[in-house]
């Protein structure tokens, strides 16, 4: 009877083995596509290509404006992080630290840097791990980057002085990075946070994109990708949560999100908003897609940001 049972299992073992092998292959492929660094900035969405001329005008400004290059761990080939520091036209204690989006770099935040520069701020714009000129083979979606931003905050305080007034600002992955930083023990010089279209957690965003873009199930792909990420970057995806970090936040925060965002769904903006008990505002830009809120109406965007900051600076 035992031999018969073993024999009867053979037809099942072959497809089960194939399914398991296929799941591992898909998960590794997906991890490499989503988490491995690329040394170029992918083309923007069709919705935002109409802003290309304006975008490159901002980029030209970014490269021409007087600036300095700052480093963290500049002697480490594995941990070096690079940033551009743009001093305000007139001396000020106000500094914004700007966090870029997924597979972007500091140049892609030129429009925001100029907006804050025109508002009288110093601007520090880093390349995150696995992006631009910074080191790292893998993208950590804000979770390990949040530790770098704590160092950038202290670098600004040491450079400007203890009377610094610091704003953290980010878009997309950068928005989530700001939200993830918010739960850490922040110096009193950090006065306000602005998070534009940040996701609720890396895990939730991955599960959403698995369904929307790849038509793949949550199981077993997400747990396998999480395990791969643990081996490469040292953390499981479930531990990297904007919502959990925002629950510990005590700084005023403005959430911005496009009402037609299908990359980071607008429901995540409400999740993030509900998570924090600090003073907060939520602005849904009704007709904007992902990371389009500034481009949809730059003047309205500036007014909203400036109005928020006038309350806390």
């Amino acid at each position: 009877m035992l031999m018969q049972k073993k024999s009867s299992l053979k037809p099942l073992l072959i497809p089960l083995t194939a399914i398991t092998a296929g799941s591992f292959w898909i998960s590794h492929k997906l991890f490499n596509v989503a988490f491995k660094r690329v040394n170029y900035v992918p083309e923007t969405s069709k919705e935002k290509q109409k802003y290309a001329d304006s975008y490159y005008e901002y980029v030209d400004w970014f490269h021409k404006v007087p600036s300095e290059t700052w480093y963290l761990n500049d002697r480490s080939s594995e941990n070096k992080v690079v940033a551009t520091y743009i001093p305000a036209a007139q001396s000020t204690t106000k500094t914004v630290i700007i966090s870029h989006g997924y597979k972007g770099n500091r140049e892609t935040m030129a429009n925001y840097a100029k907006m804050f520069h025109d508002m009288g701020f110093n601007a520090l714009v880093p390349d995150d791990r696995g992006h631009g000129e910074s080191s790292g083979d893998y993208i950590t979606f804000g979770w390990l980057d949040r530790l770098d931003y704590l160092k950038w905050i202290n670098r600004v305080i040491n450079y400007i002085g203890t009377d610094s007034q610091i704003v953290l600002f980010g878009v997309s992955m950068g928005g989530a990075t700001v939200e993830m930083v918010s739960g850490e023990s922040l110096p009193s010089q950090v006065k306000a946070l602005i998070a534009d279209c940040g996701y609720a957690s890396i895990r939730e965003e991955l599960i959403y994109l698995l369904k929307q873009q790849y038509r793949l199930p949550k199981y077993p792909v997400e747990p396998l990708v999480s395990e791969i990420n643990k081996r490469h970057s040292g953390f499981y995806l479930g531990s990297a949560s904007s919502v959990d970090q925002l629950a510990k936040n005590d700084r005023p925060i403005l959430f911005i999100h496009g009402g037609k965002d299908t990359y980071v769904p607008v429901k995540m903006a409400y999740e993030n908003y509900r998570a924090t008990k600090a003073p907060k505002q939520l602005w849904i830009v009704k007709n904007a897609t992902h990371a389009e809120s500034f481009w949809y109406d730059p003047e309205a965007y500036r007014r909203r940001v400036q109005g928020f900051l006038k309350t806390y600076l």
Side-chain angles (χ1 to χ4, degrees), residues 52-69:
D53 289 345
S54 295
Y55 169 77
Y56 284 110
E57 288 176 7
Y58 285 114
V59 170
D60 287 342
W61 171 87
F62 186 83
H63 289 294
K64 290 175 181 176
V65 69
S67 66
E68 304 169 10
T69 303

mmCIF file of all heavy atoms in Angstrom, residues 52-69:
data_model
loop_
_atom_site.group_PDB
_atom_site.id
_atom_site.type_symbol
_atom_site.label_atom_id
_atom_site.label_comp_id
_atom_site.label_asym_id
_atom_site.label_seq_id
_atom_site.Cartn_x
_atom_site.Cartn_y
_atom_site.Cartn_z
ATOM 1 N N ALA A 52 7.355 68.462 -20.826
ATOM 2 C CA ALA A 52 8.793 68.243 -21.043
ATOM 3 C C ALA A 52 9.574 69.542 -21.192
ATOM 4 O O ALA A 52 10.658 69.704 -20.612
ATOM 5 C CB ALA A 52 9.013 67.349 -22.260
ATOM 6 N N ASP A 53 9.056 70.485 -21.965
ATOM 7 C CA ASP A 53 9.787 71.735 -22.189
ATOM 8 C C ASP A 53 10.009 72.475 -20.871
ATOM 9 O O ASP A 53 11.126 72.953 -20.590
ATOM 10 C CB ASP A 53 9.042 72.630 -23.172
ATOM 11 C CG ASP A 53 9.070 72.090 -24.597
ATOM 12 O OD1 ASP A 53 9.903 71.196 -24.870
ATOM 13 O OD2 ASP A 53 8.264 72.558 -25.420
ATOM 14 N N SER A 54 8.971 72.570 -20.072
ATOM 15 C CA SER A 54 9.094 73.239 -18.774
ATOM 16 C C SER A 54 10.056 72.487 -17.867
ATOM 17 O O SER A 54 10.874 73.090 -17.150
ATOM 18 C CB SER A 54 7.727 73.353 -18.095
ATOM 19 O OG SER A 54 6.871 74.198 -18.834
ATOM 20 N N TYR A 55 9.963 71.156 -17.893
ATOM 21 C CA TYR A 55 10.840 70.330 -17.058
ATOM 22 C C TYR A 55 12.308 70.625 -17.363
ATOM 23 O O TYR A 55 13.119 70.837 -16.447
ATOM 24 C CB TYR A 55 10.530 68.852 -17.279
ATOM 25 C CG TYR A 55 11.550 67.915 -16.668
ATOM 26 C CD1 TYR A 55 11.551 67.667 -15.293
ATOM 27 C CD2 TYR A 55 12.526 67.292 -17.458
ATOM 28 C CE1 TYR A 55 12.501 66.824 -14.733
ATOM 29 C CE2 TYR A 55 13.473 66.457 -16.895
ATOM 30 C CZ TYR A 55 13.458 66.220 -15.534
ATOM 31 O OH TYR A 55 14.392 65.399 -14.979
ATOM 32 N N TYR A 56 12.661 70.657 -18.638
ATOM 33 C CA TYR A 56 14.070 70.864 -18.986
ATOM 34 C C TYR A 56 14.530 72.297 -18.714
ATOM 35 O O TYR A 56 15.721 72.537 -18.480
ATOM 36 C CB TYR A 56 14.322 70.455 -20.438
ATOM 37 C CG TYR A 56 14.360 68.952 -20.576
ATOM 38 C CD1 TYR A 56 13.338 68.264 -21.244
ATOM 39 C CD2 TYR A 56 15.383 68.208 -20.001
ATOM 40 C CE1 TYR A 56 13.353 66.876 -21.342
ATOM 41 C CE2 TYR A 56 15.400 66.821 -20.089
ATOM 42 C CZ TYR A 56 14.387 66.165 -20.761
ATOM 43 O OH TYR A 56 14.408 64.804 -20.842
ATOM 44 N N GLU A 57 13.620 73.243 -18.688
ATOM 45 C CA GLU A 57 13.987 74.595 -18.264
ATOM 46 C C GLU A 57 14.390 74.594 -16.792
ATOM 47 O O GLU A 57 15.362 75.259 -16.397
ATOM 48 C CB GLU A 57 12.818 75.555 -18.492
ATOM 49 C CG GLU A 57 12.568 75.886 -19.955
ATOM 50 C CD GLU A 57 11.346 76.773 -20.144
ATOM 51 O OE1 GLU A 57 10.773 77.234 -19.124
ATOM 52 O OE2 GLU A 57 10.959 77.000 -21.309
ATOM 53 N N TYR A 58 13.636 73.832 -15.984
ATOM 54 C CA TYR A 58 13.996 73.708 -14.567
ATOM 55 C C TYR A 58 15.341 72.997 -14.409
ATOM 56 O O TYR A 58 16.153 73.376 -13.563
ATOM 57 C CB TYR A 58 12.920 72.944 -13.807
ATOM 58 C CG TYR A 58 11.665 73.729 -13.524
ATOM 59 C CD1 TYR A 58 10.447 73.387 -14.108
ATOM 60 C CD2 TYR A 58 11.690 74.817 -12.649
ATOM 61 C CE1 TYR A 58 9.293 74.098 -13.836
ATOM 62 C CE2 TYR A 58 10.532 75.546 -12.369
ATOM 63 C CZ TYR A 58 9.335 75.182 -12.970
ATOM 64 O OH TYR A 58 8.205 75.894 -12.698
ATOM 65 N N VAL A 59 15.577 71.966 -15.193
ATOM 66 C CA VAL A 59 16.845 71.228 -15.125
ATOM 67 C C VAL A 59 18.013 72.147 -15.479
ATOM 68 O O VAL A 59 19.069 72.124 -14.817
ATOM 69 C CB VAL A 59 16.816 69.982 -16.042
ATOM 70 C CG1 VAL A 59 18.201 69.361 -16.157
ATOM 71 C CG2 VAL A 59 15.816 68.959 -15.518
ATOM 72 N N ASP A 60 17.842 72.982 -16.507
ATOM 73 C CA ASP A 60 18.891 73.941 -16.874
ATOM 74 C C ASP A 60 19.184 74.883 -15.703
ATOM 75 O O ASP A 60 20.352 75.177 -15.397
ATOM 76 C CB ASP A 60 18.462 74.751 -18.102
ATOM 77 C CG ASP A 60 18.499 73.943 -19.391
ATOM 78 O OD1 ASP A 60 19.160 72.882 -19.401
ATOM 79 O OD2 ASP A 60 17.870 74.370 -20.375
ATOM 80 N N TRP A 61 18.126 75.353 -15.063
ATOM 81 C CA TRP A 61 18.304 76.223 -13.891
ATOM 82 C C TRP A 61 19.078 75.493 -12.803
ATOM 83 O O TRP A 61 20.007 76.056 -12.189
ATOM 84 C CB TRP A 61 16.928 76.656 -13.359
ATOM 85 C CG TRP A 61 17.023 77.365 -12.035
ATOM 86 C CD1 TRP A 61 17.228 78.699 -11.831
ATOM 87 C CD2 TRP A 61 16.941 76.760 -10.735
ATOM 88 N NE1 TRP A 61 17.277 78.964 -10.485
ATOM 89 C CE2 TRP A 61 17.112 77.791 -9.793
ATOM 90 C CE3 TRP A 61 16.746 75.456 -10.281
ATOM 91 C CZ2 TRP A 61 17.086 77.560 -8.415
ATOM 92 C CZ3 TRP A 61 16.729 75.219 -8.907
ATOM 93 C CH2 TRP A 61 16.895 76.250 -7.991
ATOM 94 N N PHE A 62 18.726 74.238 -12.565
ATOM 95 C CA PHE A 62 19.344 73.430 -11.499
ATOM 96 C C PHE A 62 20.856 73.330 -11.707
ATOM 97 O O PHE A 62 21.635 73.384 -10.742
ATOM 98 C CB PHE A 62 18.712 72.040 -11.498
ATOM 99 C CG PHE A 62 19.142 71.147 -10.363
ATOM 100 C CD1 PHE A 62 18.528 71.239 -9.120
ATOM 101 C CD2 PHE A 62 20.141 70.204 -10.544
ATOM 102 C CE1 PHE A 62 18.915 70.413 -8.076
ATOM 103 C CE2 PHE A 62 20.529 69.371 -9.509
ATOM 104 C CZ PHE A 62 19.905 69.468 -8.268
ATOM 105 N N HIS A 63 21.283 73.196 -12.947
ATOM 106 C CA HIS A 63 22.709 73.034 -13.224
ATOM 107 C C HIS A 63 23.456 74.373 -13.276
ATOM 108 O O HIS A 63 24.688 74.396 -13.180
ATOM 109 C CB HIS A 63 22.897 72.281 -14.538
ATOM 110 C CG HIS A 63 22.529 70.833 -14.436
ATOM 111 N ND1 HIS A 63 23.222 69.944 -13.656
ATOM 112 C CD2 HIS A 63 21.518 70.116 -15.002
ATOM 113 C CE1 HIS A 63 22.674 68.741 -13.747
ATOM 114 N NE2 HIS A 63 21.632 68.825 -14.554
ATOM 115 N N LYS A 64 22.720 75.471 -13.420
ATOM 116 C CA LYS A 64 23.367 76.781 -13.514
ATOM 117 C C LYS A 64 23.376 77.537 -12.185
ATOM 118 O O LYS A 64 24.252 78.383 -11.961
ATOM 119 C CB LYS A 64 22.659 77.632 -14.571
ATOM 120 C CG LYS A 64 22.880 77.149 -15.999
ATOM 121 C CD LYS A 64 22.053 77.966 -16.993
ATOM 122 C CE LYS A 64 22.247 77.461 -18.418
ATOM 123 N NZ LYS A 64 21.378 78.192 -19.384
ATOM 124 N N VAL A 65 22.419 77.263 -11.307
ATOM 125 C CA VAL A 65 22.329 77.995 -10.052
ATOM 126 C C VAL A 65 23.550 77.662 -9.184
ATOM 127 O O VAL A 65 24.026 76.521 -9.187
ATOM 128 C CB VAL A 65 21.009 77.651 -9.322
ATOM 129 C CG1 VAL A 65 21.019 76.212 -8.803
ATOM 130 C CG2 VAL A 65 20.744 78.627 -8.179
ATOM 131 N N PRO A 66 24.106 78.634 -8.457
ATOM 132 C CA PRO A 66 25.244 78.342 -7.573
ATOM 133 C C PRO A 66 24.893 77.231 -6.575
ATOM 134 O O PRO A 66 23.831 77.263 -5.945
ATOM 135 C CB PRO A 66 25.482 79.679 -6.866
ATOM 136 C CG PRO A 66 24.965 80.708 -7.824
ATOM 137 C CD PRO A 66 23.770 80.073 -8.480
ATOM 138 N N SER A 67 25.773 76.264 -6.459
ATOM 139 C CA SER A 67 25.478 75.117 -5.603
ATOM 140 C C SER A 67 26.768 74.476 -5.108
ATOM 141 O O SER A 67 27.861 74.784 -5.586
ATOM 142 C CB SER A 67 24.637 74.083 -6.361
ATOM 143 O OG SER A 67 25.378 73.517 -7.426
ATOM 144 N N GLU A 68 26.603 73.558 -4.156
ATOM 145 C CA GLU A 68 27.708 72.781 -3.623
ATOM 146 C C GLU A 68 27.319 71.301 -3.683
ATOM 147 O O GLU A 68 26.132 70.965 -3.671
ATOM 148 C CB GLU A 68 27.990 73.160 -2.161
ATOM 149 C CG GLU A 68 28.271 74.629 -1.934
ATOM 150 C CD GLU A 68 28.275 74.982 -0.451
ATOM 151 O OE1 GLU A 68 28.254 74.050 0.396
ATOM 152 O OE2 GLU A 68 28.274 76.190 -0.134
ATOM 153 N N THR A 69 28.313 70.431 -3.739
ATOM 154 C CA THR A 69 28.062 68.999 -3.668
ATOM 155 C C THR A 69 28.434 68.506 -2.281
ATOM 156 O O THR A 69 29.563 68.739 -1.817
ATOM 157 C CB THR A 69 28.872 68.227 -4.730
ATOM 158 O OG1 THR A 69 28.541 68.741 -6.022
ATOM 159 C CG2 THR A 69 28.533 66.740 -4.689
#
